Amino acid sequence: IFELAVERLGLNAGLDECLFITENAGHTDEARRLGIKTLLFGETDAEDGFDDWSEAPLLIAQMVSPESPNNLEGALRLRLAVEHDLELLFVSEKSEDGIIHGQVNKSLPLPVAESESRQSSVVTIPVNVEIEMNNQGRILAVNSEEPDKETLDEAAHYIKTLDENKQISRRKGPLAQGETHRETVNEKGEKRIKRERFSAF
């Protein structure tokens, strides 16, 4: 059936160039016997197992094109967002020891005035990051910098200035004249301010 599938795809590829993803361990055993690369969903104890689809692009990228920086960056972007609440901005380099260097947007809480809602106010700040991965494409560790107090104070002042100039919308629907940012509240009760346009008109 695997040979027939490749034939019907019209590809001049051998089974050793194929990747098979399934939830059935018996099927992966048979596929590996034929030389096919495999990933087993729902089995974290298996060497080729995983149980979170946000991890799959990294595992696939390592299997099919480990030297592709574009595939690595795209796969990292999804995994960092889902598992570590980090927004990948770019990957700058990969060192000889396998450590990936880059920059991410990190969400951090800012203090709110007593007169305002007691919900946490969160802002994203760009910081440097180091990501350690193994040969399979699994993330072993993520170490991101912590911004200093001056950076956090500047961010808090920026949000305050937007608020004073009535540039933050706190309702659904199109932005009104003068508004450039929107405030949303996530499932944790954190307020987030996101730019939606540069022009206030």
Side-chain angles (χ1 to χ4, degrees), residues 84-103:
H84 301 277
D85 195 24
L86 297 172
E87 179 190 0
L88 182 66
L89 298 176
F90 61 84
V91 171
S92 59
E93 63 175 340
K94 186 174 182 179
S95 59
E96 292 182 0
D97 56 1
I99 303 297
I100 298 167
H101 300 265
Q103 193 171 83

Side-chain angles (χ1 to χ4, degrees), residues 106-108 125-128 143-149 151-152:
K106 188 172 187 177
S107 298
L108 296 162
I125 295 176
V127 297
N128 293 326
N143 299 306
S144 57
E145 291 182 346
E146 293 293 335
D148 55 29
K149 183 179 182 302
T151 300
L152 288 173

